Amino acid sequence: MNISEFERRKPRKTRRAITSLIEKYKKIILERPLMDDEDAIRVEMAADFAKDLENLKKIFEKGE
């Protein structure tokens, strides 16, 4: 599949969903008050999810 063919048929809804999830987890990171260890774990997990989703998005955009 060449790049123009991928661009023409690229799943836009999937890209939007990935972007939305990244924003969701970044919002948790920024807005979650750290009251105890459970909150710290949630924020750390959200950071990991956001990082993994950003990597997935890069792979998706390359068309691999």
Side-chain angles (χ1 to χ4, degrees), residues 25-51:
Y25 289 116
K26 284 185 175 183
K27 185 177 178 181
I28 291 171
I29 295 165
L30 295 174
E31 295 180 359
R32 185 83 174 179
L34 298 178
M35 303 295 250
D36 56 18
D37 287 343
E38 276 188 39
D39 291 334
I41 291 169
R42 284 190 180 114
V43 170
E44 186 177 346
M45 287 178 65
D48 288 343
F49 291 155
K51 183 176 138 188

Side-chain angles (χ1 to χ4, degrees), residues 4-64:
S4 61
E5 185 179 340
F6 174 76
E7 287 298 320
R8 216 178 11 199
R9 299 184 322 169
K10 182 169 37 180
R12 289 174 178 84
K13 287 182 183 180
T14 304
R15 185 177 185 279
R16 264 185 262 143
I18 293 170
T19 301
S20 175
L21 287 170
I22 291 169
E23 290 172 8
K24 172 186 172 181
Y25 289 116
K26 284 185 175 183
K27 185 177 178 181
I28 291 171
I29 295 165
L30 295 174
E31 295 180 359
R32 185 83 174 179
L34 298 178
M35 303 295 250
D36 56 18
D37 287 343
E38 276 188 39
D39 291 334
I41 291 169
R42 284 190 180 114
V43 170
E44 186 177 346
M45 287 178 65
D48 288 343
F49 291 155
K51 183 176 138 188
D52 291 343
L53 286 166
E54 286 173 350
N55 290 334
L56 175 65
K57 185 177 175 183
K58 286 178 188 176
I59 292 168
F60 175 79
E61 289 175 340
K62 287 181 184 178
E64 296 180 340

